[in-house]
Amino acid sequence: MTTSFEATQELVLPARGSRWIEDWNPEDETFWQRSGERIARRNLIWSILAENIGFSVWLMWSVVATRLPKVGFTYSTDQLFLLVALPGLVGAMMRFPYTFAVPKFGGRNWTIVSALLLFVPTTLLVLLVDRPTTPFWLMALAASTAGLGGGNFASSMANISFFYPDRKKGLALGLNAAGGNIGVSSVQLLTPIAIGIGGLHLANAGLMWMPLVALATFGAFAFMNNLRVAKSPFRDQLAIAKRKHTWVMAWLYIGTFGSFVGYSAAFPLLLKTQFPDVSTNLAFVGPLVGSIARPLGGLISDKVGGARVTFWNFVAMGCATVGVVYFVGAGNLPGFLVTFLVLFVTTGFGNGSTFRMIPVIFRAEALQADPEHPDLAMTRARRDSAAVLGFTSAIGALGGFFIPQAFGASIRATHGPGIALAFFFLFYCTCVAATWWWYRRPGALGTANV
């Protein structure tokens, strides 16, 4: 007779020579305590590393672009903002196939492939940044490939969502996302140091990440797992695009993550154009505080509800935006920095709270649709949630393109970012209204729990 412990081991251990786990049920407390938590934690650690390097590669042009004129490039301010924005656009587009790759190929397998692809943008940067005669179209193409790093987030979040039970998803997804988001602050803190060694060597901005890309690839190969339960037909995954709440959450995530990645990409150039005497090396602080705030947003949402946190967070984002407009117009650097840092913190909190909402929303929908078969409903909810996490992350990442472009257009028209910030404020107002209507008003879906 098989003991409970032995049954647990058989449930989770992959077959010899394989990295696939055939059965996975994190909602089973005995299973989770015996083996599930340990395996989930190991996959989370290596997922965080791979995602962190992906974010660093994705945002490396936010540092490099500000320094191209110093080494002889004659690109215009608009062109520099475009170099910063293009990785955001490509990264958003890549998140769609990256999301669907996890159920198709397995989370471990796709982490290996996506890590290896990071050698493409790092190599191109190394080859081109020391050649001031490089035509803009070619430099823009090279910058666009950095978007491959942006795709990693979608596959990583979709993969990790399968490993953790619903009661722990908020913190787990928050830690996974924050670990990746910190890559933004890492690139803006460490890259200026690396390229300044012995002069100004922009090629180091690509070279410095190559050993870490190799480490992330090895870690995924040696220590991560694929889950058979994550397998899902492509047609079933596409069905989430027909769901109302997919699009509502995508809209809200544009407001949180779109703001985070857009502000992170644009902040160095924004500082340089509005306060020329200030070192752009300060830019790393914004993404850092936003990244740290993300798991806190998820943790608090686990306790009081994601919709409540999201609602008040968007109110705070609107207030912070008004503060930034006022202080940048007054030329007040301390006030500008403080209010912009508050804005970064709220983007992090909102990232955590919105991603906590998604599994809860689709669990509630699945159980309402099939109350007589709760196990099947929960399995369907986990698959739908993973697909929606990736889908909304793709839509939200568009902020990495549009926010730098909006700042560039506003500065070109008025010599300041005020017009762009006014539009962002109006957008946050729509997010407040959407959160209240769909998830906070009396009678809304799961008002007490979402």
Side-chain angles (χ1 to χ4, degrees):
M1 181 175 179
T2 304
T3 67
S4 174
F5 176 78
E6 289 170 339
T8 300
Q9 294 302 303
E10 291 172 0
L11 182 65
V12 300
L13 290 180
R16 185 177 299 275
S18 171
R19 299 301 298 184
W20 285 92
I21 295 177
E22 297 298 325
D23 297 297
W24 186 260
N25 183 16
E27 302 296 341
D28 183 326
E29 186 64 28
T30 300
F31 162 76
W32 181 252
Q33 293 296 330
R34 292 289 190 183
S35 300
E37 185 174 18
R38 172 176 54 83
I39 294 173
R41 183 169 56 247
R42 187 183 68 229
N43 279 269
L44 175 62
I45 290 170
W46 288 100
S47 174
I48 287 174
L49 176 63
E51 188 187 338
N52 179 277
I53 304 306
F55 262 92
S56 295
V57 171
W58 191 21
L59 271 293
M60 62 186 179
W61 282 92
S62 69
V63 178
V64 173
T66 64
R67 290 160 173 82
L68 288 177
K70 295 182 179 180
V71 294
F73 288 87
T74 57
Y75 302 147
S76 68
T77 299
D78 267 357
Q79 288 176 320
L80 293 177
F81 269 108
L82 186 57
L83 289 178
V84 170
L86 282 172
L89 178 62
V90 175
M93 296 298 101
M94 295 305 298
R95 288 186 173 195
F96 291 105
Y98 273 48
T99 296
F100 301 131
V102 170
K104 178 68 175 177
F105 303 107
R108 165 189 176 266
N109 295 346
W110 190 252
T111 302
I112 295 169
V113 172
S114 61
L116 286 171
L117 286 172
L118 298 179
F119 282 115
V120 175
T122 50
T123 301
L124 288 175
L125 186 146
V126 170
L127 293 175
L128 295 180
V129 291
D130 288 332
R131 304 171 185 269
T133 57
T134 301
F136 179 75
W137 69 265
L138 182 56
M139 192 66 82
L141 180 62
S144 297
T145 64
L148 292 169
N152 287 15
F153 179 87
S155 55
S156 178
M157 295 295 280
N159 181 45
I160 292 302
S161 71
F162 284 104
F163 279 93
Y164 281 83
D166 282 353
R167 66 186 182 279
K168 294 181 178 291
K169 270 190 171 67
L171 180 59
L173 293 175
L175 289 171
N176 189 55
N181 292 172
I182 286 176
V184 180
S185 59
S186 298
V187 75
Q188 294 182 347
L189 172 64
L190 300 177
T191 304
I193 297 173
I195 64 180
I197 297 175
L200 185 59
H201 302 289
L202 294 184
N204 289 349
L207 290 170
M208 64 185 291
W209 302 112
M210 291 182 175
L212 294 174
V213 170
L215 175 62
T217 304
F218 170 77
F221 176 81
F223 301 111
M224 292 186 71
N225 300 99
N226 303 303
L227 296 181
R228 192 70 65 184
V229 71
K231 297 283 285 184
S232 177
F234 182 63
R235 181 177 59 186
D236 291 352
Q237 296 178 72
L238 284 180
I240 56 103
K242 300 177 182 179
R243 310 276 284 277
K244 171 183 63 183
H245 292 290
T246 300
W247 292 100
V248 175
M249 292 308 302
W251 185 264
L252 299 182
Y253 201 59
I254 292 173
T256 58
F257 183 75
S259 296
F260 172 81
V261 70
Y263 292 149
S264 297
F267 199 43
L269 271 174
L270 193 60
L271 271 176
K272 184 178 179 63
T273 56
Q274 301 306 299
F275 300 95
D277 297 331
V278 178
S279 171
T280 57
N281 292 352
L282 288 172
F284 82 94
V285 179
L288 178 62
V289 297
S291 301
I292 293 172
R294 181 161 191 158
L296 296 177
L299 182 61
I300 293 173
S301 296
D302 281 339
K303 297 182 182 300
V304 304
R308 180 179 298 174
V309 175
T310 300
F311 177 85
W312 289 109
N313 189 75
F314 276 123
V315 172
M317 291 182 77
C319 294
T321 304
V322 172
V324 173
V325 171
Y326 173 79
F327 286 115
V328 75
N332 186 320
L333 176 62
F336 170 79
L337 289 176
V338 169
T339 51
F340 221 113
L341 288 181
V342 171
L343 198 50
F344 269 112
V345 170
T346 56
T347 65
F349 259 89
N351 287 338
S353 64
T354 51
F355 261 33
R356 191 271 181 183
M357 291 170 65
I358 289 171
V360 179
I361 290 169
F362 285 89
R363 180 184 64 193
E365 276 203 324
L367 290 173
Q368 287 176 6
D370 192 6
E372 296 181 358
H373 304 92
D375 290 342
L376 292 176
M378 289 297 291
T379 298
R380 184 166 58 252
R382 281 193 289 269
R383 289 176 175 170
D384 287 350
S385 296
V388 174
L389 287 170
F391 185 87
T392 55
S393 76
I395 300 295
L398 289 170
F401 175 76
F402 288 112
I403 286 180
Q405 286 293 92
F407 278 135
S410 180
I411 290 171
R412 182 176 66 251
T414 66
H415 303 290
I419 293 177
L421 288 164
F423 277 107
F424 302 155
F425 171 80
L426 294 175
F427 183 82
Y428 298 146
C429 289
T430 70
C431 292
V432 170
T435 306
W436 179 83
W437 179 259
W438 293 113
Y439 307 115
R440 291 293 297 157
R441 67 183 174 88
L445 174 69
T447 301
N449 299 314
V450 173

